């Protein structure tokens, strides 16, 4: 039999009557991620999803890499199926894992017997296969506490499966199971991490990016689109709403006190994001804000910016320090792009002495001379939508 992939499901197995909807969404996400890799059969039994190639042309290694970025999967392994027979499992282990068995110094066998009709207990099967492997490979010593290699035997409904040392999956919930949100995506480190963290909780995302040409260059815009592309393998299809923001920033520079410029600018961002959210039937706005990191991210400042929308504002990075955020950015592959030296619209007209603890009353007074509705509508009407799919 051919090599296949076993995916262990996460917290969705604790769901009640709606568990099936989570599993169906996960299956749909998996099937879409597998399309570039060939034809696979995908099915779920006993809290495990099986990804089985339909023919020799399927790219199993490529599929395995893709499955590492599917939210809802907590563990995965490449495995070889065989008959539910102790000698068949022993033979498969010796063939499939021969290279690793020859190079390891210590090992153990661990059995999971989901099919309770199998005549041997888990301990009996582990002892039998482990004893035979110990005899066949003189280099091996049994170490049940800290083995260099663990041989896993899984006896399930349709077959038995042999594999070694499964890897951690992405975890979380399948994208699309907890709703849709819009995420403010800049060219920095924090906002891609915030997007990833919310997607991990099952949220489908559209991105909103504010572009201030000529103060920000076409390369800066392309940098943000590249960040969005890097998130696609995790988030699935992404639409980036590119908002022309220059006219708003120039108007604010003329009419708003310098120390309140950044707060008022962010309020306009939230108003436009709110409008995008209502157009696409999203129910939250996501930002990369971290409490106290910059002047616009004090509690008072965040209260002022969030006050212009009736939607929940999700700030997954709010309690994290920069090193924690960088650690995640490095893991998900966005860090190197985020640190490219292209300007961001938030750095345009940066005040020398921004107000750290603004009040809503003073910010609202600063906006009195602005035609807010017209300014927002003009930017909204000129949004460019960039659709990014896997491989785009």
């Amino acid at each position: 039999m051919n090599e296949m992939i076993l995916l262990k499901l996460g917290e969705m197995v604790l769901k009640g009557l709606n568990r099936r909807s989570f599993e169906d969404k996960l299956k749909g996400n998996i099937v879409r991620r597998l399309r570039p890799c060939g034809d696979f059969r995908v099915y779920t039994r006993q809290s495990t999803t099986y990804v089985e190639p339909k023919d020799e042309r399927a790219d199993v290694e490529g599929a395995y890499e893709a499955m590492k970025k599917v939210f809802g999967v907590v563990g995965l392994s490449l495995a070889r199926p065989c008959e539910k027979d102790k000698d068949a499992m022993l033979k498969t282990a010796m063939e499939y894992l021969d290279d690793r068995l020859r190079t390891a110094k210590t090992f153990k066998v661990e059995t999971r017997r989901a099919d309770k009709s199998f005549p041997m207990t888990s301990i009996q099967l582990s002892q039998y296969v482990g004893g035979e492997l110990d005899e066949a490979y003189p280099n091996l010593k049994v170490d049940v506490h800290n083995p260099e290699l663990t041989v896993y035997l899984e006896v399930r409904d349709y077959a038995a499966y042999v594999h070694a040392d499964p890897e951690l999956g992405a975890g979380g919930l399948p994208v699309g199971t907890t709703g849709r949100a819009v995420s403010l995506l800049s060219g920095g480190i924090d906002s891609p991490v915030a997007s990833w963290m919310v997607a991990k909780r099952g949220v489908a995302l559209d991105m909103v990016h504010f572009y201030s040409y000529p103060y920000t260059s076409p390369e800066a815009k392309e940098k943000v689109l590249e960040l969005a592309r890097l998130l696609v393998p995790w988030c699935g299809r992404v639409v980036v709403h590119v908002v022309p923001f220059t006219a708003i920033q120039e108007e604010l520079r003329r009419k708003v006190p310098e120390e309140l410029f950044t707060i008022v600018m962010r309020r306009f961002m939230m108003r436009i994001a709110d409008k995008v959210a209502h157009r696409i039937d999203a129910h939250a706005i996501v930002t990369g804000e971290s409490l106290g990191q910059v002047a616009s991210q004090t509690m008072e400042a965040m209260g002022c910016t969030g006050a212009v929308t009736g939607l929940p504002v999700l700030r997954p990075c709010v309690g994290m320090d920069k090193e924690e955020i960088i650690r995640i950015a490095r893991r998900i592959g966005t860090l190197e792009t985020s640190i490219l030296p292209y300007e961001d619209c938030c750095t345009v007209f940066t005040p020398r002495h921004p107000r750290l603890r603004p009040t809503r009353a003073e910010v609202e007074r600063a906006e009195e001379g602005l035609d807010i509705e017209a300014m927002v509508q003009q930017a909204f009407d000129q949004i460019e939508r960039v659709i990014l799919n896997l491989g785009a």
Side-chain angles (χ1 to χ4, degrees), residues 71-315:
F71 290 124
V73 175
V74 296
L76 67 166
S77 56
L78 289 165
R80 177 76 60 82
C82 65
E83 294 179 16
K84 292 191 285 185
D85 173 83
K86 63 183 178 67
D87 292 315
M89 284 182 261
L90 172 62
K91 180 181 178 183
T92 301
M94 294 178 69
E95 291 176 351
Y96 184 52
L97 302 176
D98 182 65
D99 288 345
R100 299 183 68 175
L101 288 166
R102 289 183 183 280
T103 56
K105 295 180 180 178
T106 59
F107 86 112
K108 74 172 181 177
V109 176
E110 189 170 309
T111 300
R112 296 166 184 167
R113 189 175 60 106
D115 179 3
K116 301 304 181 185
S117 67
F118 187 74
M120 301 174 74
T121 66
S122 296
I123 293 175
Q124 289 171 337
L125 183 55
S126 293
Q127 289 175 337
Y128 172 74
V129 173
E132 294 296 319
L133 292 177
D134 189 45
E135 288 288 329
Y137 294 89
N139 56 293
L140 287 177
K141 276 181 148 183
V142 175
D143 183 347
V144 297
H145 300 295
N146 189 31
E148 184 180 338
L149 172 67
T150 300
V151 176
Y152 288 93
L153 310 175
E154 300 197 28
V155 185
R156 295 188 164 272
D157 283 355
Y158 302 122
Y161 303 87
V162 177
H163 61 96
D165 296 333
E167 294 188 59
L168 290 176
L173 295 170
V175 170
T177 54
T178 58
R180 178 171 293 278
V182 296
S183 184
L184 305 190
L185 185 65
S186 72
I189 297 172
D190 302 347
S191 60
V193 169
S195 300
W196 180 86
M197 292 175 71
V198 169
K200 184 175 181 177
R201 298 310 305 158
V203 179
L205 292 175
D206 276 35
M207 310 294 182
V208 179
H209 173 62
F210 296 90
Y211 178 51
S212 296
Y213 182 82
Y215 301 107
T216 56
S217 65
E219 290 81 8
K221 175 183 170 182
E222 182 54 38
K223 169 186 172 179
V224 171
L225 293 178
E226 178 59 23
L227 286 171
R229 290 187 190 97
L230 292 171
L231 290 170
V232 167
W234 301 96
C235 302
R237 178 181 183 269
V238 167
V239 178
V240 183
H241 303 259
V242 181
V243 181
F245 206 52
T246 307
I248 288 177
Q249 288 188 297
E250 290 179 336
E251 181 74 355
L252 298 185
R253 187 188 190 191
R254 287 191 293 268
K255 295 185 176 180
V256 171
E258 181 187 11
E259 67 272 15
L260 294 176
F261 175 86
T262 301
I263 296 299
V264 175
M265 178 189 71
R266 292 188 66 82
R267 281 164 65 90
F268 272 85
M269 290 179 171
M270 297 296 279
R271 291 180 175 112
I272 295 169
D274 180 279
K275 206 168 180 66
V276 172
H278 282 91
R279 179 168 69 180
I280 66 171
D281 196 28
H283 297 97
I285 296 172
V286 183
T287 78
E289 293 166 299
S290 173
L291 186 61
Q293 186 176 114
V294 295
S296 63
Q297 295 177 16
T298 62
M299 283 191 284
E300 293 86 351
M302 287 192 283
C304 288
T305 57
V308 298
T309 177
L311 296 174
V313 180
L314 308 180
R315 300 178 172 97

Side-chain angles (χ1 to χ4, degrees), residues 313-333:
V313 180
L314 308 180
R315 300 178 172 97
C317 298
V318 72
M320 301 172 67
D321 62 36
K322 201 67 176 183
E323 285 305 313
E324 292 173 302
I325 296 171
I326 288 173
R327 196 176 304 127
I328 295 175
R330 185 174 287 113
R331 174 190 167 193
I332 66 178

